[in-house]
Amino acid sequence: MNFSSKATATCALVILLSIGLLSYRNTVRDEEDRGWVTHTHLVLEKLQAVLIDITQAETGQRGYILTGEERYLEPYQAGRNRVHQDMEELRRLTADNPQQQEAIKILEQSVRARLTGLAERIEIRRGAGLAAGAEAVAKANNGEQLMERIWAQIGEMRSTEERLLSIRLEMAASSTRKMKAVIVLGNALAILILSLAALVIRREATKRDLAEKELKQVNEHLEQRTVELSDTNSELESFSYSVAHDLRAPLRQIAGYSNVLMQDHGRQLDPEARRYLQMVEEGAQKMGRLVDDLLSLSKIGRQELALQATPLDAILRQVVEELAPECSGREVLWRIENLFTAECDPALMKQVFVNLLSNAVKYTGKRERAVIQVGQMMQNDMPVIFVRDNGVGFEMQYVGKLFGVFQRLHKARDFEGTGVGLAIVQRIIRKHGGRIWAEAKLDHGATFYFTLGAPPRRLDTQINHEVTNVARS
């Protein structure tokens, strides 16, 4: 067998191998397409599960309102628990689809509103009896509207998934058609190569050389991009280190030297210059507090919990004592209930109370007589701690922004702060396996609730204490 024959046979074999490779790739792609189809069906199942969960919760609520028997609360609570799990699973399954993620946010608001309505009517039935519960159900005109909205939102999401399913099925069919065409053309090309060996070999050799050159260029470009990305990562790490360590020293210098300049040479400056200098010092101090808060937030994310049995009463009263200077010149009425002993990190739990009570003190600053209450209640067999104040409150439509970093619901000139405190509280509560939420009304105060994941060691009798802290300058 001469060289030309060997080359012809080799080339034909290469073509057959290429066809086999393309067939393999098509098989892999088909498996991927089937995986996406399965994924779409899972999303559709989860959407249906959400409807089932809400329906189960509604059924349990109706049974309890009609009979007052606690056993009807079991399907109600099971539906509530599963709907949150199904919503989280739905969010995970659609993580690659921004449109569906936005739709889930809207759906979650409707679901939360519906569940809140169910819980409120259960509490009315539990506290005031059948007549009041039935009246509350009759007056709840928005229940059907919420369910219609939930049905509509889930219908839109199902339509989106069904469109995706149709597209993916069409892609699979198109891939199959292309593969058939490749196989036919490949076989025809193999026969043509056997007939025109010399010409094809020369042309293939030329193409191979060009392909090698292009591949070399692509590899060089990829190597260059790799180096650039490595440099970028190094710069990001350096920047993070600077934020964590190097920024605080210059900020302290700016604030310190501004203060020294004001004290030593303030008399030589005109009032406008002194005002500018004071603004520089205040800006440096504010930025320093912001950097410190961001570092605290980052540190909490990496910090390991040091769990131990901790009386929350002791931590709470210590925090109230430490906040006494902030209440100077004001009348602040503290209503403190006995709290339970929890399995938690004492230092982090103190930070929770410091941030929540500091907020309460701050946002009641415009009240002639501030009232701040800290207590506990039972919800779904779980103790819930609450911090309530009679401050300026906020509009509930913005509650979703409350625990975000740098999110402020009031103007900075009215109330100071960096917008990180509540984000820190939420991160600490989540590390303990609990959750935190808030209720408020504009100009009628706010209430923050939170739970801890670990069950309490003991649950004290709720005894109300009123401690009046009045300090006049």
Side-chain angles (χ1 to χ4, degrees):
M1 184 180 290
N2 57 27
F3 176 77
S4 298
S5 299
K6 291 180 180 180
T8 301
T10 302
C11 192
L13 180 60
V14 168
I15 292 177
L16 293 175
L17 290 175
S18 299
I19 294 173
L21 177 60
L22 289 174
S23 299
Y24 172 76
R25 290 182 59 186
N26 184 68
T27 301
V28 172
R29 183 173 299 175
D30 286 341
E31 291 179 356
E32 293 176 353
D33 291 336
R34 285 195 297 272
W36 280 113
V37 170
T38 302
H39 177 272
T40 304
H41 285 301
L42 287 175
V43 173
L44 294 174
E45 288 176 4
K46 287 300 174 182
L47 289 171
Q48 185 64 29
V50 169
L51 287 176
I52 294 173
D53 296 337
I54 296 175
T55 302
Q56 181 177 352
E58 286 184 330
T59 302
Q61 182 233 30
R62 292 194 193 99
Y64 178 75
I65 288 178
L66 291 173
T67 65
E69 297 182 9
E70 294 291 330
R71 62 189 179 89
Y72 285 100
L73 293 181
E74 295 180 2
Y76 161 76
Q77 189 57 46
R80 284 184 63 97
N81 294 336
R82 280 200 299 271
V83 75
H84 294 300
Q85 297 173 1
D86 290 336
M87 289 296 293
E88 288 297 324
E89 183 66 14
L90 193 60
R91 184 180 288 105
R92 183 187 67 80
L93 289 172
T94 59
D96 61 322
N97 192 328
Q99 178 183 354
Q100 292 291 63
Q101 289 286 297
E102 291 299 321
I104 288 174
K105 291 180 181 178
I106 298 174
L107 175 61
E108 193 172 34
Q109 293 174 359
S110 300
V111 170
R112 188 184 301 113
R114 183 56 177 154
L115 293 179
T116 300
L118 296 179
E120 290 174 352
R121 288 185 281 281
I122 286 176
E123 291 300 322
I124 291 173
R125 173 64 175 86
R126 178 180 288 137
L130 174 60
E135 181 180 1
V137 172
K139 292 182 177 180
N141 297 326
N142 64 337
E144 294 183 1
Q145 296 176 357
L146 284 172
M147 284 305 299
E148 290 177 359
R149 190 185 307 165
I150 291 172
W151 273 94
Q153 290 164 346
I154 289 180
E156 291 178 1
M157 294 180 68
R158 288 178 63 90
S159 297
T160 300
E161 290 297 325
E162 288 169 356
R163 285 196 299 271
L164 288 174
L165 179 60
S166 177
I167 292 172
R168 287 161 181 166
L169 290 173
E170 177 60 29
M171 290 176 61
S174 176
S175 176
T176 301
R177 290 193 298 268
K178 291 179 180 179
M179 189 58 211
K180 291 179 179 178
V182 167
I183 292 174
V184 173
L185 292 176
N187 288 327
L189 183 59
I191 295 172
L192 180 61
I193 288 177
L194 291 173
S195 304
L196 305 172
L199 179 61
V200 172
I201 289 173
R202 287 196 299 268
R203 289 181 178 178
E204 289 299 322
T206 303
K207 290 180 180 179
R208 186 170 56 251
D209 292 339
L210 291 175
E212 289 177 353
K213 290 180 181 179
E214 291 177 359
L215 181 59
K216 183 178 180 181
Q217 293 175 355
V218 170
N219 288 335
E220 291 176 352
H221 178 70
L222 288 176
E223 290 177 358
Q224 181 180 359
R225 289 291 298 158
T226 302
V227 173
E228 292 175 357
L229 289 174
S230 178
D231 293 340
T232 300
N233 288 333
S234 298
E235 291 175 0
L236 287 174
E237 291 177 359
S238 299
F239 176 76
S240 300
Y241 180 83
S242 296
V243 170
H245 298 283
D246 298 342
L247 279 181
R248 288 186 290 179
L251 287 172
R252 285 196 297 267
Q253 290 178 351
I254 293 172
Y257 284 121
S258 297
N259 183 266
V260 172
L261 184 59
M262 177 67 78
Q263 292 181 356
D264 295 348
H265 304 283
R267 296 180 180 178
Q268 303 174 18
L269 301 174
D270 57 62
E272 189 70 12
R274 288 197 298 271
R275 187 173 69 86
Y276 289 154
L277 195 59
Q278 184 177 1
M279 291 174 64
V280 170
E281 182 180 355
E282 291 175 355
Q285 292 175 351
K286 181 177 180 181
M287 188 173 181
R289 290 193 298 270
L290 180 60
V291 170
D292 289 340
D293 285 348
L294 289 175
L295 291 174
S296 298
L297 184 64
S298 176
K299 181 180 178 182
I300 289 171
R302 300 189 303 268
Q303 182 177 344
E304 294 292 335
L305 292 178
L307 297 177
Q308 62 184 65
T310 305
L312 299 182
D313 295 277
I315 295 179
L316 176 58
R317 298 185 188 282
Q318 180 183 357
V319 172
V320 172
E321 292 178 2
E322 293 176 358
L323 291 176
E326 297 185 23
C327 303
S328 177
R330 297 176 52 193
E331 182 179 352
V332 179
L333 177 63
W334 295 93
R335 293 177 176 173
I336 307 298
E337 298 180 5
N338 285 349
L339 302 181
F340 52 85
T341 295
E343 197 77 15
C344 64
D345 187 311
L348 293 181
M349 194 51 55
K350 180 180 179 181
Q351 186 67 50
V352 168
F353 282 117
V354 167
N355 289 12
L356 292 179
L357 294 184
S358 296
N359 270 7
V361 171
K362 176 169 63 175
Y363 290 109
T364 56
K366 296 183 180 181
R367 295 288 187 248
E368 181 178 347
R369 184 172 185 263
V371 179
I372 301 174
Q373 181 182 3
V374 183
Q376 65 183 30
M377 62 184 186
M378 294 298 296
Q379 186 178 90
N380 303 325
D381 298 326
M382 176 71 72
V384 178
I385 299 174
F386 63 86
V387 177
R388 180 177 294 122
D389 64 67
N390 65 335
V392 296
F394 57 85
E395 295 183 1
M396 284 298 292
Q397 61 179 321
Y398 303 117
V399 71
K401 300 180 179 180
L402 196 62
F403 298 100
V405 180
F406 304 134
Q407 296 290 346
R408 296 176 55 86
L409 304 187
H410 301 280
K411 296 180 179 179
R413 64 173 177 267
D414 295 332
F415 299 97
E416 295 182 353
T418 59
V420 182
L422 289 179
I424 291 175
V425 170
Q426 185 186 57
R427 182 162 296 186
I428 293 175
I429 294 300
R430 285 181 174 176
K431 284 181 71 71
H432 283 80
R435 66 186 186 97
I436 182 169
W437 67 99
E439 297 176 357
K441 187 176 181 181
L442 191 62
D443 203 37
H444 286 78
T447 305
F448 288 84
Y449 304 87
F450 68 88
T451 63
L452 298 176
R457 290 287 185 88
R458 62 178 176 83
L459 197 59
D460 294 328
T461 303
Q462 295 188 358
I463 303 175
N464 228 10
H465 296 279
E466 291 193 0
V467 182
T468 305
N469 178 8
V470 183
R472 304 186 183 277
S473 59

